[in-house]
Amino acid sequence: MDHAIDSRRRRLMLSSAFAATGLGPLSTAAFAQAAKAKPLPKYAEWKYIDSLIVHSSNTIETRRAAFGSSVVVPTDILFVRNNIPPPEESIAYDPDAWEITVQGVGKPGKMTVGQLKRLGVETVAMVLQCSGNGRGFFAHKASGTQWTVGAAGCVLWSGVPLAAVVKAMGGVAGGMQFVTGSGGERIPDGIDRRQVAVERSVPLKAMETALLAWELNGEPLPLAHGGPLRLVIPGYYGVNNVKYLSRLSFTEKETDANIQSSGYRIRDIGKKGAPGQPTMWEMNVKSWINHPAGDGPMLPGMVQINGVAFAGVNAVRRVEVSTDGGKTWTDARFIGPDLGRYAWRQFVLPVQLRTGSHVLVSRATDAAGNVQPAERTENERGYGHNGWRDHAVKLTVA
Amino acid sequence: MDHAIDSRRRRLMLSSAFAATGLGPLSTAAFAQAAKAKPLPKYAEWKYIDSLIVHSSNTIETRRAAFGSSVVVPTDILFVRNNIPPPEESIAYDPDAWEITVQGVGKPGKMTVGQLKRLGVETVAMVLQCSGNGRGFFAHKASGTQWTVGAAGCVLWSGVPLAAVVKAMGGVAGGMQFVTGSGGERIPDGIDRRQVAVERSVPLKAMETALLAWELNGEPLPLAHGGPLRLVIPGYYGVNNVKYLSRLSFTEKETDANIQSSGYRIRDIGKKGAPGQPTMWEMNVKSWINHPAGDGPMLPGMVQINGVAFAGVNAVRRVEVSTDGGKTWTDARFIGPDLGRYAWRQFVLPVQLRTGSHVLVSRATDAAGNVQPAERTENERGYGHNGWRDHAVKLTVA
């Protein structure tokens, strides 16, 4: 496992000089890459840049080699994806004062985070993953950020169960079919709210497992990840986990915001998005190898092949690993604590690698019997890629 | 729950100006405390100072109110305790090159971290706790850092199982009874190594669960926590988890280093430490409440009383909470994922608090039936304090 980038980061944190050179183990290629990296945006400048790929001020990816084997991805290397710029930092100064509007319940009204904290507290481990994670592997140059594997991370959320909030507010009103969350981003005057608002609807059943979260990985939820309050829908793609939650509605229909009606819809290449097409709700079964990451030649001998596997709302049950590009497979072993059905599992397979080229791939199976497919499902926007072939690590042993 | 200090921290990280005042929710008392705080030592200056109490350059405590409810304590607010100053930072520049000597096995020799990584990988969640956590509650002014509750944290370690290393090196030599780890701190010429060396022995059975860890909470193990390599003994007090591990020996007897022979021994007040007295190995059953933290008056009404409970090598099975100083008790509920027997569990009890003064306490029971006692066990150095009475939160509801 190549943790060189991260150990260098620790040093850089200490020396406060990113320009330091020559002493560390960072490969020439990795260093050149780091040196030409875009800077972190101000709202996320506390993150560790050398474990990240800054695609833009709103899209920041975790480097494959930076994923550890300790199950939880620390917040300082967790990916960031904002659909529109985040609100001003000042909303995070007094998180308990943040107020949400709740509609579509017996007693609609407003509730501050401070009040929500008195209603209940629960913690859930889950994989947060952007719908477009893996888009960079599509051949048709799908529009959007060219993520490879790093728009995902298993994290811990703490907050109040949505069901407890609903109970306190008189229950869900009759006939409602969806939970609709609205983000608190500021939309400038003159811009059509429907065109840009981050507002997503998920099926009502998600209410049973959803949280309104104010804490991420043991610390107050930072603005970069949706603080002061985020709607968390375990097992669903990232976009449904609405940041800076300002309104929570139980609705008869899905919102007509573009991000729901035409965005995040699976359709053939060349087609436009439209209601009725599958939308990015529950995540599919997926795995990939993080170590070795294939970012440099290795010496022959025993290697611990290590990666992650998860399956949306289903627990992952099995991972197989191949070192010959998928011709033959061997069951890998899960390691570390099981954080529950929405979390990912770390897997490991010890293998003897001889001199030569190897193509390492992994294939997960979930509790419902779904098996990760070999190929991606071609689609216009490059969503939901879980094909194992494109996620291969190509390794030279010399 | 008062997360104000932490949300302020996020802001401070963004503004890069600790001197900023007036806008945040930090209480006057807390701000005054933060303003007069000692600075972080250079090897740990990447930590979040306003979630910490810096007792000295070698002893840094997590503030009670800074503990979240997400089970794992993030590295940037995790306590630090060094017996002697850490080695130079340069040892962390190329962690894979760090070398340990292994003795008392069939084939003694040296092994680099890079080689260890090829032998196996496992992850364990465990509570890391200083033997002196709670020393500040002793009435006799026990010598040493006056920790209250924050010299502890539940963390995730990744590394190679010690058993796999031993297997690769020919097994434990005959007659050996202890696992002895030696720290890599530099001891100046002219100083008796036995007097100051961090070298601890634990019973051989600990080998079955021990790790040699290079990763903490998903990132390369930083120097501040023992990187490049730390001996991790799940369920044992912090001191046994030797940092910057330089030598690992299987031995017939416990080391004669002072830290083992006379240090970390439980004895009556006024007595000197000596072999034969109980030493700080397995941790006892313990719990405490973190929220509300009692650092300011609260409004009456429903409150979620939240804290942590653990039990060394035994899983914790039950936590009771009292709001009247221990006269009456109610079972609390565990929340969040169960990370295994060595981890702590987060517990919560919703209670209606009326106007007035309240004394909140918690009492844990482990899987072996051990119950957290009301009173501390008096001892010279203030070790192993798990009495629930001293850990009370005194709360004013107005």
Side-chain angles (χ1 to χ4, degrees):
Chain A
M1 292 170 219
D2 181 359
H3 280 152
I5 291 173
D6 284 280
S7 56
R8 183 172 181 85
R9 182 208 74 206
R10 288 284 177 202
R11 181 162 70 90
L12 290 168
M13 286 297 289
L14 291 167
S15 68
S16 302
F18 190 76
T21 57
L23 292 168
L26 200 68
S27 72
T28 307
F31 187 76
Q33 195 173 24
K36 71 177 181 188
K38 293 192 181 91
L40 285 163
K42 189 160 171 51
Y43 70 88
E45 70 182 14
W46 46 270
K47 288 191 175 253
Y48 289 135
I49 192 168
D50 37 349
S51 290
L52 299 165
I53 302 161
V54 183
H55 293 285
S56 76
S57 63
N58 284 327
T59 50
I60 303 167
E61 177 168 6
T62 308
R63 289 186 188 279
R64 193 168 191 158
F67 283 112
S69 47
S70 297
V71 185
V72 173
V73 173
T75 305
D76 51 26
I77 68 169
L78 181 65
F79 82 103
V80 173
R81 194 275 188 263
N82 291 318
N83 288 82
I84 56 177
E88 61 278 17
E89 286 169 26
S90 60
I91 68 166
Y93 293 176
D94 185 4
D96 284 3
W98 181 257
E99 195 173 60
I100 63 165
T101 302
V102 183
Q103 298 175 332
V105 290
K107 292 180 279 184
K110 291 177 185 294
M111 188 86 75
T112 65
V113 170
Q115 290 171 313
L116 290 171
K117 286 180 177 175
R118 287 173 168 246
L119 289 180
V121 61
E122 190 48 87
T123 297
V124 66
M126 64 169 247
V127 176
L128 184 71
Q129 181 187 218
C130 181
S131 304
N133 197 28
R135 182 183 288 129
F137 298 130
F138 281 81
H140 72 287
K141 307 280 180 202
S143 164
T145 303
Q146 299 300 299
W147 311 106
T148 59
V149 299
C154 184
V155 295
L156 292 156
W157 298 103
S158 292
V160 60
L162 179 51
V165 180
V166 169
K167 188 178 172 193
M169 300 190 81
V172 176
M176 301 308 176
Q177 300 295 324
F178 296 93
V179 180
T180 298
S182 311
E185 294 92 344
R186 182 166 294 184
I187 296 171
D189 291 342
I191 291 183
D192 179 4
R193 196 175 184 287
R194 204 169 64 83
Q195 295 290 322
V196 301
V198 179
E199 186 169 280
R200 287 284 297 180
S201 300
V202 296
L204 189 61
K205 68 174 179 182
M207 188 186 79
E208 298 307 322
T209 57
L211 292 185
L212 303 186
W214 50 75
E215 185 178 315
L216 171 64
N217 287 346
E219 292 181 297
L221 181 55
L223 183 75
H225 294 291
L229 193 72
R230 186 165 186 175
L231 175 61
V232 168
I233 314 283
Y236 283 55
Y237 284 100
V239 68
N240 303 290
N241 299 272
V242 175
K243 295 175 174 179
Y244 343 106
L245 187 70
S246 65
R247 189 176 58 195
L248 183 82
S249 310
F250 293 89
T251 53
E252 293 181 11
K253 297 183 178 171
E254 295 179 37
T255 169
D256 64 356
N258 277 15
I259 198 172
Q260 180 90 14
S261 61
S262 60
Y264 293 86
R265 296 280 175 178
I266 296 274
R267 69 271 189 179
D268 289 344
I269 294 171
K271 291 283 193 315
K272 283 189 186 302
Q277 296 161 349
T279 187
M280 301 307 289
W281 281 338
E282 295 180 4
M283 294 189 287
N284 51 27
V285 60
K286 186 169 180 178
S287 72
W288 66 81
I289 291 162
N290 287 319
H291 304 286
D295 49 1
M298 293 192 72
L299 292 172
M302 182 71 82
V303 173
Q304 305 288 325
I305 298 178
N306 172 219
V308 296
F310 58 102
V313 300
N314 301 311
V316 67
R317 279 286 175 264
R318 181 186 187 190
V319 177
E320 299 155 284
V321 165
S322 170
T323 59
D324 55 13
K327 292 193 196 92
T328 59
W329 298 89
T330 307
D331 275 11
R333 182 174 61 86
F334 290 124
I335 60 168
D338 181 350
L339 273 54
R341 63 196 297 198
Y342 308 112
W344 66 27
R345 294 298 308 266
Q346 292 274 347
F347 64 83
V348 66
L349 181 73
V351 295
Q352 289 282 352
L353 286 185
R354 295 185 194 172
T355 301
S357 294
H358 302 270
V359 178
L360 314 183
V361 286
S362 64
R363 179 172 69 182
T365 303
D366 73 15
N370 300 301
V371 182
Q372 189 180 351
E375 311 301 340
R376 60 182 178 262
T377 301
E378 300 291 354
N379 70 94
E380 170 63 15
R381 291 300 307 278
Y383 290 132
H385 189 166
N386 67 339
W388 54 254
R389 195 181 308 281
D390 284 347
H391 289 81
V393 168
K394 294 180 177 70
L395 190 67
T396 302
V397 175
Chain B
M1 292 172 220
D2 182 0
H3 281 151
I5 292 172
D6 284 280
S7 56
R8 181 173 183 87
R9 182 207 72 208
R10 288 284 178 205
R11 180 160 71 88
L12 290 168
M13 285 298 290
L14 291 167
S15 68
S16 300
F18 191 77
T21 57
L23 293 168
L26 200 67
S27 73
T28 307
F31 187 76
Q33 194 171 24
K36 72 176 181 187
K38 293 192 181 93
L40 286 162
K42 189 160 170 53
Y43 70 89
E45 68 182 13
W46 47 270
K47 289 192 174 253
Y48 290 136
I49 192 168
D50 37 349
S51 291
L52 299 164
I53 302 161
V54 183
H55 294 285
S56 76
S57 64
N58 284 326
T59 49
I60 304 168
E61 177 169 7
T62 308
R63 289 185 187 279
R64 192 167 191 159
F67 283 112
S69 46
S70 297
V71 185
V72 173
V73 173
T75 306
D76 52 26
I77 68 169
L78 181 65
F79 82 102
V80 174
R81 195 274 188 263
N82 291 318
N83 288 81
I84 56 177
E88 61 278 16
E89 287 169 24
S90 60
I91 69 166
Y93 293 176
D94 185 4
D96 285 3
W98 181 257
E99 196 173 58
I100 63 166
T101 301
V102 183
Q103 298 174 333
V105 289
K107 293 179 278 184
K110 291 176 186 290
M111 188 87 72
T112 64
V113 171
Q115 290 172 312
L116 291 171
K117 286 180 177 175
R118 287 173 169 246
L119 289 180
V121 60
E122 191 46 89
T123 297
V124 66
M126 64 169 247
V127 176
L128 183 72
Q129 182 186 219
C130 180
S131 303
N133 197 29
R135 182 184 287 128
F137 299 129
F138 281 81
H140 71 288
K141 307 281 179 201
S143 164
T145 304
Q146 300 299 299
W147 312 105
T148 59
V149 299
C154 183
V155 295
L156 293 156
W157 298 103
S158 292
V160 61
L162 178 51
V165 180
V166 170
K167 189 179 173 193
M169 301 190 80
V172 177
M176 301 307 177
Q177 300 295 324
F178 296 93
V179 180
T180 298
S182 311
E185 295 91 343
R186 183 165 294 185
I187 295 171
D189 292 342
I191 292 184
D192 179 4
R193 195 173 186 287
R194 204 170 64 82
Q195 295 289 322
V196 301
V198 179
E199 185 167 280
R200 288 283 297 179
S201 300
V202 297
L204 189 61
K205 67 174 179 181
M207 189 186 77
E208 299 306 322
T209 56
L211 292 185
L212 303 186
W214 51 75
E215 184 179 315
L216 172 64
N217 286 346
E219 293 181 297
L221 182 55
L223 183 76
H225 295 290
L229 193 72
R230 187 165 185 175
L231 175 61
V232 168
I233 314 282
Y236 282 55
Y237 284 100
V239 69
N240 303 290
N241 299 273
V242 175
K243 296 176 173 179
Y244 343 105
L245 187 70
S246 66
R247 190 176 59 194
L248 183 81
S249 310
F250 293 88
T251 53
E252 292 181 13
K253 296 182 179 172
E254 296 179 35
T255 169
D256 64 356
N258 277 15
I259 198 172
Q260 180 90 11
S261 62
S262 60
Y264 293 86
R265 297 280 174 178
I266 296 276
R267 68 273 191 180
D268 290 343
I269 295 170
K271 290 283 195 311
K272 286 190 185 301
Q277 297 162 347
T279 188
M280 301 308 289
W281 282 338
E282 295 181 3
M283 294 189 285
N284 53 26
V285 60
K286 186 169 180 178
S287 70
W288 66 81
I289 291 163
N290 287 317
H291 305 286
D295 48 2
M298 294 192 72
L299 293 171
M302 182 71 83
V303 173
Q304 305 288 324
I305 298 177
N306 171 220
V308 295
F310 57 103
V313 300
N314 300 311
V316 66
R317 279 288 174 265
R318 181 186 187 191
V319 178
E320 301 156 282
V321 166
S322 170
T323 58
D324 55 12
K327 293 193 195 91
T328 60
W329 298 89
T330 306
D331 275 11
R333 181 174 62 86
F334 289 124
I335 61 168
D338 180 350
L339 274 54
R341 63 196 297 197
Y342 308 112
W344 66 26
R345 297 296 310 264
Q346 292 274 347
F347 65 83
V348 65
L349 181 72
V351 296
Q352 289 282 352
L353 286 185
R354 296 184 194 172
T355 302
S357 294
H358 303 271
V359 178
L360 313 183
V361 286
S362 64
R363 180 172 70 182
T365 303
D366 73 15
N370 299 301
V371 182
Q372 190 180 350
E375 311 302 339
R376 61 182 177 261
T377 300
E378 300 291 354
N379 70 94
E380 171 63 15
R381 292 300 307 278
Y383 290 133
H385 188 165
N386 68 339
W388 54 253
R389 195 182 308 281
D390 284 347
H391 289 82
V393 168
K394 294 181 177 68
L395 190 67
T396 302
V397 175

